Amino acid sequence: MRSDEEMYTLILEIAKSDERVRAVGMNGSRLNEQVEKDSLQDFDIVYFVTEIASFLQHPHWIDQFGDRMIMQTPEDHTIFPATREGCFTYLMLFRDGQRIDLKLRPLTQISEWIQEDRLAKVLYDKDGLIPPLPQPSDCTFWVRKPSEKQFQDCCNEFWWLTTYVAKGIWRNQLIYAYDHLQLVRDMFLQMIAWEVGIRTNFSVSIGKNATQLQQYIDERLWEQLLETYPRCEKDEVQAALYQLTHLFPKIAHEVSHFFSYGYDKDEEQQVLDYLKKILKRV
């Protein structure tokens, strides 16, 4: 595997030798002091360019980054198309294990880039176009305080979705039940995130896909959370559902109490009675 130093040198040499590239920025976990460094971290790179069309007309220009194992270009993707306009992205995983997520952005989007993400650093600026940036910080991704409506919507969505899981179990439609169990868990993770925010004065991020969550919750809750990731078998999905309906109110009540937000206890109880009725017939 090429070293990090070799990768940085390559990224900058390509930019310096191409007149179309006027500046190079970096985002992502490599700038986050809260994330433990490892050999699989991506290089999240932005090339600010005078125009993009010529890069697309000669797609082999990216070959100079190395021997690729696999690549995606989201703006060309028909299944999961990118939503940002005016950019073009190359997600490149190389045979040596290094990865570069390279985005081409027009110079007109420099100000927008600065505002998007505090985990940002300028690696190279040919023309002095980018003003000094503050010290990289993950504050853009810190858990945010919920409004009362957001809190109540999360609770409502949690209990609403549990009925889908129960219906799928009752019908023996296990993929349907399993998929909705994930959505139920997402609401639980959101509630846990708010509880973590309360204990940390809303000054931390739990990471993408909750990658940093374990360090902020006690070992018992972590183990209970892992138990909600079952195999796609009826008994296990049902047990995971019960686990979530047991844990969610506890966390929700803590958040509700802290903010003095209303919690619909009647909704919870009526849904629990419904789940018990449906699942008794499984």
Side-chain angles (χ1 to χ4, degrees):
M1 178 182 284
R2 289 168 290 179
S3 69
D4 289 353
E5 291 72 20
E6 288 176 301
M7 296 301 293
Y8 282 119
T9 298
L10 176 63
I11 289 165
L12 291 177
E13 284 183 347
I14 292 172
K16 291 176 181 179
S17 65
D18 194 322
E19 282 299 307
R20 298 168 298 180
V21 182
R22 307 311 300 172
V24 182
M26 185 175 183
N27 302 95
S29 64
R30 285 182 173 272
L31 299 177
N32 191 349
E33 295 181 353
Q34 307 305 315
V35 175
E36 185 176 352
K37 302 298 183 282
D38 62 46
S39 61
L40 297 183
Q41 284 182 303
D42 308 340
F43 290 85
D44 294 305
I45 302 297
V46 180
Y47 276 4
F48 290 102
V49 298
T50 55
E51 49 82 24
I52 292 176
S54 62
F55 289 97
L56 306 186
Q57 291 168 0
H58 302 282
H60 293 294
W61 77 274
I62 58 169
D63 293 346
Q64 57 194 315
F65 287 101
D67 191 7
R68 298 185 302 278
M69 178 193 309
I70 187 171
M71 179 177 74
Q72 282 195 344
T73 50
E75 285 76 13
D76 274 345
H77 217 288
T78 58
I79 297 179
F80 303 110
T83 57
R84 179 178 299 282
E85 296 182 357
C87 302
F88 198 84
T89 310
Y90 303 88
L91 308 178
M92 299 176 284
L93 179 59
F94 302 97
R95 291 187 183 276
D96 68 352
Q98 290 285 14
R99 173 173 163 171
I100 299 176
D101 291 354
L102 174 65
K103 185 182 293 290
L104 304 182
R105 298 187 69 163
L107 297 176
T108 54
Q109 291 189 7
I110 288 178
S111 295
E112 183 180 348
W113 175 73
I114 292 172
Q115 297 298 320
E116 286 171 355
D117 186 353
R118 278 285 305 278
L119 279 176
K121 181 178 180 180
V122 179
L123 300 183
Y124 184 63
D125 187 352
K126 291 179 180 177
D127 310 304
L129 298 173
I130 305 176
L133 301 183
Q135 184 72 16
S137 166
D138 67 349
C139 64
T140 310
F141 308 101
W142 288 355
V143 178
R144 305 297 181 192
K145 295 179 182 179
S147 67
E148 185 166 10
K149 183 67 163 60
Q150 287 173 324
F151 169 77
Q152 292 174 346
D153 284 351
C154 179
C155 295
N156 176 263
E157 182 74 354
F158 176 89
W159 293 112
W160 176 259
L161 289 168
T162 62
T163 67
Y164 287 74
V165 181
K167 181 167 60 176
I169 294 171
W170 186 82
R171 289 175 171 169
N172 203 34
Q173 296 172 341
L174 293 184
I175 293 178
Y176 176 93
Y178 194 92
D179 283 351
H180 283 87
L181 182 72
Q182 173 64 53
L183 301 177
V184 173
R185 192 188 306 110
D186 287 345
M187 292 300 99
F188 179 54
L189 288 171
Q190 177 62 78
M191 194 61 67
I192 291 180
W194 287 331
E195 193 275 332
V196 169
I198 290 169
R199 288 189 286 103
T200 59
N201 196 28
F202 291 91
S203 62
V204 301
S205 165
I206 65 169
K208 184 178 181 181
N209 299 108
T211 52
Q212 306 302 312
L213 177 60
Q214 186 176 5
Q215 64 184 294
Y216 296 114
I217 63 177
D218 63 60
E219 184 177 351
R220 177 57 181 149
L221 179 56
W222 177 253
E223 292 173 352
Q224 291 172 319
L225 173 60
L226 295 183
E227 290 170 2
T228 71
Y229 290 80
R231 293 179 297 175
C232 195
E233 295 185 4
K234 183 179 291 187
D235 290 346
E236 293 195 21
V237 173
Q238 184 169 329
L241 177 62
Y242 281 143
Q243 178 79 296
L244 286 165
T245 59
H246 172 70
L247 295 173
F248 182 86
K250 294 182 178 181
I251 307 298
H253 289 156
E254 293 180 22
V255 176
S256 171
H257 177 74
F258 179 85
F259 289 111
S260 298
Y261 289 166
Y263 178 80
D264 195 336
K265 181 65 177 178
D266 288 340
E267 180 177 76
E268 173 195 323
Q269 190 58 55
Q270 290 181 67
V271 173
L272 286 173
D273 290 343
Y274 173 82
L275 297 180
K276 184 176 180 180
K277 179 181 178 180
I278 292 296
L279 296 175
K280 182 183 293 186
R281 292 184 270 162
V282 172

